[in-house]
Amino acid sequence: MKSDVGNVPSWGMPASRSFAANTSLSKYKDTHAEFPSFESKEEYESYLMEASGLPKGFATGSAIGSFVPEEAPLMGALPIKGTIIHLTDGPSENWAAVFTQNKFPGSPIIVGRSRLASGKPIQTLIINNKVSNVCSGGNGVANSETVCEAVAKALNLEFGSESVLPSSTGVIGWRLPAKELAQDVVPRAVEALQSDSAFVAARDIMTTDRYPKLRSKTLSNGARIIGIAKGAGMIEPNMATMLSYILTDATVPKSQLQSMLSEAVNGSFNSISVDGDESTSDTAVIVSSNKVDMEGDEIMKEFRSALNEICSGLAADLVRNGEGTGHVMRVVIHNFPGSGLEARRLGRHVVNSPLFKCAVSGNDPNTGRLAAAVGSFMGKFKGNEDVSKMTVTLGGRTIFCEGKFVLEGDAVEKELSDHMKNAQQNEVSDFPEHQRCVEIGIDFVVGDTSATVYGSDLTNEYIIVNADYRS
């Protein structure tokens, strides 16, 4: 079976790996903070390819294999992909990660936490889809380590399997097909390693995603940051996203990377929700190849800003690519009387309201459901706070102010409905047609905290996808 790497070139190499230099980096562009509109899948993928140049010192490769799930053998052979992200010139101590806070984490999370706590360097990431290796029969941690050992052997890694960081996504409860991955998929993914583009990695870590997610930024000193992410359902992260990997050649110390990543995650991946379900596999990782010096406060500020932009962009992409998403809601909260965490929880409460999600799906400006969601949260969690001056807007128009609705007849009803229709997208499209959102504003006047939260509506397509997910 051939490696599933599309049209991106790959090179087979011996154990003492030497990678083709990325001589075409200058041709790559950066993604925009807000994407343009696209007319086709081909136009979207071409845009990503132009911005997909890997930072110096990285290579990626993917391969596809098959397995029969022990828990459901009648399903027959199913496909499984493995994707490798590799530091070509040796391990790096400058890496950081955040993991799910779910009390039933996947075995790769347990391994990853151990790697992070050890303070040891890593050199390679291995990501598989289809099976998440969560609370399965057998020894899930041992299965993850088996795959890591296969990666270390195939790449002849100096520090062995302890320098390999695993991730898994897919069906919860199934055993990881470690033998199939280790003996078949990993060797061919290593053979497919290439140092030119991150696009294939972005594509091949997907599960129910309809299209790949990729963001990139080049700093004024030439340092480059690129991020990829996957995730379409079971998304209300409590630290990160489903899976996100950020690669950079900027030399940033480990402690600063960890602080910056945690900050960026809170303002991005921790501020989205598709369906209100927190995954057992959430992982966000940033790794530096240490190729570009970063001396001076200004360039570090530029790095921090670029990292925040990439994480925020990927987070919004995840919501737009959510399972069955027909509208993206953007809730902007101002002057909230509480912490940033509480403000984000309010935003999530609004976008997770089943009644309001359904209203948005039908382009029905049911302002009562929106105000009720806000009032519900404040009553439950901030009962002593003053909401008498609160203003709520929909599509930029004030619909609730100082305890009363501001409803002005059929013309306003049509204006609000047209705003929702303008933000609607095809929930089965294999590319993002536009970046428009249903815009919701909540201003409490009396506080000083702000937050922005993205969420999805609820469509029939979401039910169809999740009613038949495993098959």
Side-chain angles (χ1 to χ4, degrees):
M1 186 179 296
K2 292 183 178 180
S3 176
D4 185 27
V5 294
N7 295 320
V8 177
S10 62
W11 298 268
M13 299 173 194
S16 57
R17 321 213 63 77
S18 77
F19 295 87
N22 188 349
T23 57
S24 56
L25 185 61
S26 60
K27 74 179 181 180
Y28 287 103
K29 303 176 182 178
D30 293 334
T31 54
H32 298 84
E34 182 169 314
F35 284 178
S37 297
F38 300 103
E39 297 295 329
S40 66
K41 174 183 178 181
E42 291 73 24
E43 185 181 0
Y44 172 66
E45 292 191 348
S46 176
Y47 175 84
L48 292 190
M49 280 294 295
E50 288 182 350
S52 70
L54 282 165
K56 302 178 187 69
F58 286 94
T60 74
S62 298
I64 186 169
S66 65
F67 75 105
V68 176
E70 294 183 45
E71 293 77 8
L74 291 180
M75 296 181 74
L78 300 176
I80 187 168
K81 286 182 180 178
T83 297
I84 288 175
I85 299 173
H86 180 57
L87 286 163
T88 59
D89 295 327
S92 173
E93 293 183 354
N94 293 332
W95 68 282
V98 286
F99 301 105
T100 185
Q101 294 181 25
N102 193 300
K103 287 294 186 181
F104 295 105
S107 294
I109 301 296
I110 297 171
V111 175
R113 286 173 178 167
S114 176
R115 300 273 200 270
L116 187 64
S118 74
K120 294 180 180 179
I122 63 169
Q123 187 168 358
T124 308
L125 285 68
I126 172 68
I127 306 109
N128 72 269
N129 70 357
K130 200 61 179 180
V131 177
S132 65
N133 192 14
V134 176
C135 301
S136 61
N139 191 328
V141 169
N143 285 336
S144 284
E145 291 287 12
T146 294
V147 177
C148 291
E149 289 167 4
V151 172
K153 181 179 179 181
L155 286 165
N156 194 27
L157 299 184
E158 177 184 359
F159 293 99
S161 61
E162 290 188 353
S163 63
V164 181
L165 188 70
S167 293
S168 299
T169 179
V171 177
I172 293 174
W174 283 6
R175 293 173 177 85
L176 185 72
K179 179 179 178 181
E180 290 87 342
L181 285 168
Q183 296 182 3
D184 178 31
V185 176
V186 165
R188 289 186 295 105
V190 168
E191 290 177 0
L193 282 169
Q194 51 81 35
S195 60
D196 197 33
S197 170
F199 177 81
V200 168
R203 184 195 66 195
D204 287 347
I205 61 174
M206 299 192 306
T207 49
T208 59
D209 307 64
R210 289 175 282 128
Y211 46 82
K213 275 76 64 184
L214 181 151
R215 296 274 175 159
S216 62
K217 193 82 170 177
T218 304
L219 305 187
S220 59
N221 68 345
R224 186 163 174 80
I225 312 172
I226 192 163
I228 62 175
K230 63 80 53 186
M234 203 176 189
I235 293 182
E236 188 180 77
N238 189 16
M239 44 45 63
T241 177
M242 292 296 290
L243 296 178
S244 181
Y245 306 97
I246 302 165
L247 317 177
T248 184
D249 47 22
T251 303
V252 181
K254 184 181 184 70
S255 60
Q256 289 181 265
L257 274 183
Q258 188 66 58
S259 174
M260 290 181 182
L261 180 63
S262 297
E263 174 188 288
V265 160
N266 276 334
S268 58
F269 300 127
N270 278 353
S271 299
I272 63 173
S273 181
V274 169
D275 47 23
D277 283 329
E278 179 188 330
S279 169
T280 54
S281 302
D282 290 343
T283 299
V285 179
I286 184 168
V287 183
S288 171
S289 61
N290 306 308
K291 295 295 184 180
V292 181
D293 290 336
M294 299 285 287
E295 294 186 6
D297 293 340
E298 290 304 312
I299 195 64
M300 292 301 289
K301 288 179 182 177
E302 189 180 344
F303 179 89
R304 183 189 297 270
S305 176
L307 178 60
N308 287 336
E309 179 183 314
I310 285 175
C311 289
S312 294
L314 288 173
D317 294 341
L318 290 172
V319 177
R320 192 165 297 280
N321 183 211
E323 291 168 354
T325 295
H327 298 78
V328 175
M329 294 179 273
R330 177 160 48 201
V331 181
V332 180
I333 300 165
H334 290 297
N335 301 308
F336 179 78
S339 68
L341 175 60
E342 290 172 319
R344 293 195 300 271
R345 284 177 173 171
L346 167 61
R348 286 180 171 186
H349 193 82
V350 170
V351 300
N352 284 337
S353 164
L355 287 175
F356 187 58
K357 289 166 83 78
C358 290
V360 171
S361 176
N363 297 313
D364 176 11
N366 194 324
T367 55
R369 293 181 178 180
L370 172 54
V374 177
S376 170
F377 178 89
M378 296 304 291
K380 288 178 180 177
F381 304 109
K382 302 289 289 182
N384 294 325
E385 299 295 344
D386 179 14
V387 296
S388 64
K389 298 179 181 180
M390 185 187 74
T391 298
V392 180
T393 61
L394 179 59
R397 173 176 281 275
T398 299
I399 55 99
F400 189 88
C401 182
E402 296 182 351
K404 294 182 180 181
F405 286 98
V406 184
L407 305 176
E408 302 173 357
D410 292 341
V412 172
E413 180 86 2
K414 184 178 185 304
E415 176 188 327
L416 297 177
S417 181
D418 286 347
H419 170 70
M420 291 178 165
K421 290 177 182 177
N422 186 54
Q424 191 166 9
Q425 63 177 25
N426 184 341
E427 60 263 35
V428 298
S429 177
D430 55 4
F431 67 96
E433 301 161 303
H434 59 75
Q435 299 289 299
R436 296 187 293 275
C437 300
V438 175
E439 303 288 357
I440 300 161
I442 307 170
D443 190 341
F444 287 87
V445 181
V446 297
D448 58 6
T449 300
S450 298
T452 299
V453 173
Y454 289 86
S456 170
D457 62 355
L458 181 58
T459 66
N460 289 334
E461 180 64 18
Y462 177 85
I463 297 171
I464 291 170
V465 170
N466 283 285
D468 199 28
Y469 171 66
R470 294 194 303 170
S471 56

